[in-house]
Amino acid sequence: MTICDEYDYLVHLVSSYVLGTQPQEIPEGFSFEKVFDFGQLHEVANIAFQSVKKLKNKPSDELLSKWKKYYYNSVRRDEIQLESRNQILKKFFDNNIRVLEVQGSVIKPIYPATHLRMMSDIDFIIDKENLILANECLTQLGYDTYKPNENEVNASKSIINVELHTDFFEQEIIGKKQKYYDAMHGSFDLAKPNEKYPLIYRTDETNLYMYSLLHLLKHYRYSGCGIRRFVDFYYLREKFGDQINFEYINSVLESVDLLNSANELMALVDYWFYNKDYPYDLNKILAKIYSAGNHGNEQQYYYNRIAFEREHGRHYSKYNFVLELFFPHKKDIYDAYPFCKKHNFPYVLCLIHRAIFSIGKIGNVFRKIKKILSI
Amino acid sequence: MKIKKGYVKRKIDDVYLVITTTEADRSDIMIELNETSSFIWDCVAKGYDVEKIATNLSKEYDITIEKATESAEKIIANMKENGIIEED
C-alpha cells in the first residue's frame, strides 16, 4: 500500500503489528499527533502503539506517554468489560434467559490479546419475550436502562454500555434496512448452545463471518465505519478461513444485492493486509472510511443517505432531512414513544405527543439542523 | 493486609499493570509494577505478612533478610499510598 497521509501511515502501523513486520519510520512532514488522533477516532491507537514502540524516531516524550496511557486504558477497559459480561451472563443464566453473544465479545478472543480489540458496547441477542425480564436483571445489576422498545434495550453503567437485541438485524417491512434482516435472521436457529452453559449460544464460523460482514455493510452504508472493523476481517480470515463457507455467504449476499458492496470492502482487507492491488476506486472508499471514524458520524450518515437516495433515482436533499426532523415517519414515533403505539394514536396526535415530550430537546434539533445544512 | 477489592494485576507485554475494575471511571489508577513489586503483590494476595514476604523475597532474589525487609516495607508503603492494598 502507498502511504500518502497520516491516515495511511496509521494503517501501516496497524498492519505492521498485525503482520509482525518492522514498521517504516514516519515520513517527513507527517505529524505523530495526527496519527494518534486518527488512531483514537478509529479505536486502533492501542494496536498502533505496538508498532510505535519499535520505531527508531519516536514521538515526543509527552505524546508517547499519552499514547501509552491510552494503550493501558484499553487494557483496563477490556478487563472491566469482561467482568461485566460475565456478571450479566451469570445473572441471565440464573433467570433462565438464553443469550447469544455477538460482535465485540466474540471477536475479541481471535485477536492476539483481547484488549487490542476495543469494544464500545457489550452486545447480546435474547428472545423477545425475555426483554422485560432482562431489562430488570440489568437494573438489578446497577445499570440505567433507556430507550426500551419492543426490540431492544440499551443500558449503561459508568463506562459500560450494554445492548440487548432480539435478532441479528431489526425487521423493517418497508424500510431501507430490511435487506440485512432478509439476509440473516432467526438468531438462535443459526447458533448452538455451549456444552457447559447451555443457555449461552454462539454461531458457527460461517455465520459469525456473515454477520460481521453484514454489520460492516450496514454501518458503511448508513453511518460509515472505520479501520478497526477491517482488522477484524484479517483475524477472522486468518483464524477461521478454512472453516468458513464463502460460497454460501456469497450466495446470500447476492440474493439481497449486497455482494458487490461486500467485495469492494473486502478488497480493502486484501490491499491493507495481503499486499494486493485494490481493483475499485481507492480514493472514494478511503475518503469514506477515514472520515467516518470507527462508528461513523452523523454528518457521514447524512451524506451517505443523500448519495444513496440519489443513486436510486430519488430526489433527495439535505432539506428533506430537516423536514424529517419535524415530521418523522409514524413508525419512528411509535418506536420512540411506545405510549403512542399502545393507544394506536393517529399521526397528528403522535406529532403533538412528540412535540410535548421533546420540548426540552430543542437545542439538539437546532444542532442537527446546523450539521445537516453544513453538508 | 490485603489487595483492595476490585484491583487486579495483568502482565501486558513486558510490564505488570495494576488496574481497577470496580472504580470504572478512575482511569488515573493504572500502576506499573516491576518484577520485585509484582512478586510482593502476589505475596500480599496470598495473605502473607511483611515478615513472610521478606523471607520469600530474600530467597527468591538471593539477598539478605535485612535488605529484603527494607525493600518489602518500602514497596508495601508505596502500594498503600497508591490505595491498591489496605489493612484487613
Side-chain angles (χ1 to χ4, degrees):
Chain A
M1 63 171 284
T2 325
I3 300 173
C4 299
D5 56 21
E6 278 88 348
Y7 275 119
D8 290 336
Y9 187 62
L10 170 68
V11 173
H12 169 73
L13 291 175
V14 170
S15 69
S16 297
Y17 169 74
V18 164
L19 302 172
T21 55
Q22 175 63 31
Q24 282 178 35
E25 294 297 319
I26 191 166
E28 220 184 298
F30 281 23
S31 142
F32 266 125
E33 277 78 11
K34 272 190 182 172
V35 177
F36 177 58
D37 286 347
F38 294 159
Q40 289 184 93
L41 184 68
H42 285 261
E43 294 191 0
V44 289
N46 55 341
I47 304 179
F49 181 68
Q50 300 296 316
S51 289
V52 167
K53 286 195 295 186
K54 288 187 184 175
L55 295 173
K56 214 156 59 178
N57 301 316
K58 293 190 172 48
S60 66
D61 288 348
E62 195 191 350
L63 181 62
L64 198 62
S65 142
K66 218 164 128 184
W67 211 324
K68 186 161 95 173
K69 194 173 176 194
Y70 180 89
Y71 173 64
Y72 281 174
N73 213 25
S74 71
V75 176
R76 193 180 70 94
R77 196 180 168 87
D78 181 56
E79 199 66 44
I80 295 169
Q81 286 176 328
L82 181 68
E83 197 170 294
S84 308
R85 165 196 171 265
N86 292 343
Q87 229 179 29
I88 294 169
L89 285 176
K90 188 181 177 306
K91 187 80 177 168
F92 284 176
F93 189 82
D94 293 344
N95 283 273
N96 215 26
I97 298 171
R98 69 173 181 167
V99 58
L100 168 62
E101 283 192 274
V102 286
Q103 299 189 43
S105 315
V106 192
I107 302 288
K108 270 175 170 286
I110 64 173
Y111 273 61
T114 52
H115 65 267
L116 290 174
R117 205 293 189 173
M118 294 184 75
M119 170 170 86
S120 315
D121 313 308
I122 307 173
D123 292 271
F124 298 111
I125 294 178
I126 59 170
D127 292 298
K128 212 169 179 171
E129 58 268 29
N130 284 331
L131 214 51
I132 291 168
L133 178 59
N135 189 55
E136 274 172 32
C137 288
L138 290 176
T139 308
Q140 282 166 21
L141 289 173
Y143 287 85
D144 290 323
T145 58
Y146 54 101
K147 271 204 244 169
N149 63 34
E150 62 183 42
N151 293 315
E152 198 173 289
V153 167
N154 293 337
S156 68
K157 180 167 77 170
S158 182
I159 60 164
I160 304 295
N161 299 308
V162 180
E163 285 187 8
L164 304 180
H165 313 272
T166 49
D167 211 333
F168 292 121
F169 298 99
E170 211 169 320
Q171 192 168 15
E172 279 189 346
I173 302 297
I174 47 162
K176 297 177 294 296
K177 297 177 187 168
Q178 176 65 16
K179 58 167 73 175
Y180 303 96
Y181 176 87
D182 287 341
M184 205 174 182
H185 59 269
S187 323
F188 286 100
D189 296 337
L190 299 177
K192 278 186 180 161
N194 182 304
E195 278 180 21
K196 199 171 168 195
Y197 302 103
L199 289 176
I200 301 174
Y201 283 63
R202 283 276 175 104
T203 59
D204 66 10
E205 291 75 18
T206 298
N207 283 310
L208 170 64
Y209 192 91
M210 186 156 79
Y211 176 61
S212 306
L213 187 49
L214 285 165
H215 203 75
L216 172 78
L217 284 160
K218 195 178 102 173
H219 271 267
Y220 178 71
R221 167 58 77 189
Y222 293 101
S223 55
C225 60
I227 298 164
R228 196 199 68 200
R229 290 180 194 271
F230 292 86
V231 185
D232 288 354
F233 283 92
Y234 171 80
Y235 283 118
L236 277 167
R237 284 192 200 173
E238 287 297 308
K239 180 100 177 169
F240 303 127
D242 52 351
Q243 298 158 60
I244 296 170
N245 185 344
F246 288 105
E247 222 171 283
Y248 166 72
I249 294 174
N250 288 347
S251 71
V252 172
L253 292 173
E254 176 94 79
S255 72
V256 289
D257 199 21
L258 283 171
L259 185 57
N260 289 340
S261 309
N263 288 341
E264 235 178 280
L265 294 179
M266 288 302 98
L268 198 58
V269 179
D270 292 332
Y271 175 70
W272 279 344
F273 302 107
Y274 293 95
N275 203 22
K276 290 187 182 169
D277 287 335
Y278 188 75
Y280 307 94
D281 187 341
L282 185 64
N283 290 334
K284 188 180 152 199
I285 193 166
L286 290 184
K288 274 191 174 182
I289 288 163
Y290 288 167
S291 65
N294 191 47
H295 304 285
N297 60 47
E298 229 174 301
Q299 226 154 350
Q300 189 68 28
Y301 164 73
Y302 297 134
Y303 174 82
N304 285 344
R305 170 85 189 276
I306 291 171
F308 178 80
E309 300 290 350
R310 288 186 179 171
E311 266 170 36
H312 287 73
R314 290 184 283 268
H315 174 74
Y316 205 85
S317 73
K318 48 192 175 187
Y319 303 105
N320 291 74
F321 271 124
V322 177
L323 262 180
E324 272 185 24
L325 284 180
F326 292 100
F327 303 103
H329 293 291
K330 189 174 169 185
K331 181 188 173 296
D332 292 336
I333 303 181
Y334 272 6
D335 275 351
Y337 302 97
F339 181 81
C340 296
K341 187 173 183 183
K342 193 178 164 193
H343 297 282
N344 203 17
F345 275 10
Y347 189 60
V348 177
L349 263 184
C350 285
L351 285 179
I352 294 169
H353 181 90
R354 179 175 174 266
I356 293 167
F357 281 88
S358 47
I359 205 125
K361 297 175 194 161
I362 197 75
N364 228 359
V365 174
F366 283 116
R367 185 188 55 79
K368 275 191 176 177
I369 293 173
K370 205 174 149 193
K371 260 193 179 168
I372 294 167
L373 296 180
S374 71
I375 299 169
Chain B
M1 177 169 61
K2 62 181 183 192
I3 307 290
K4 199 170 167 189
K5 196 170 175 250
Y7 283 76
V8 290
K9 182 185 69 155
R10 290 287 173 263
K11 188 164 196 287
I12 299 300
D13 310 327
D14 48 357
V15 297
Y16 295 92
L17 189 66
V18 172
I19 46 183
T20 169
T21 57
T22 43
E23 294 168 77
D25 44 358
R26 294 286 309 273
S27 63
D28 53 319
I29 306 174
M30 283 190 285
I31 298 155
E32 277 182 20
L33 302 181
N34 61 18
E35 280 285 341
T36 316
S37 303
S38 168
F39 182 83
I40 291 174
W41 170 279
D42 292 338
C43 290
V44 174
K46 285 174 191 160
Y48 297 170
D49 59 16
V50 178
E51 202 179 323
K52 196 165 179 188
I53 292 172
T55 311
N56 282 6
L57 197 63
S58 153
K59 278 183 199 159
E60 180 72 20
Y61 293 97
D62 198 19
I63 52 174
T64 63
I65 192 76
E66 290 78 20
K67 177 86 182 145
T69 307
E70 192 192 330
S71 292
E73 282 175 347
K74 201 172 150 191
I75 291 170
I76 288 168
N78 190 265
M79 286 179 176
K80 279 184 184 168
E81 203 177 299
N82 279 300
I84 58 176
I85 60 176
E86 60 188 5
E87 289 303 328
D88 287 317

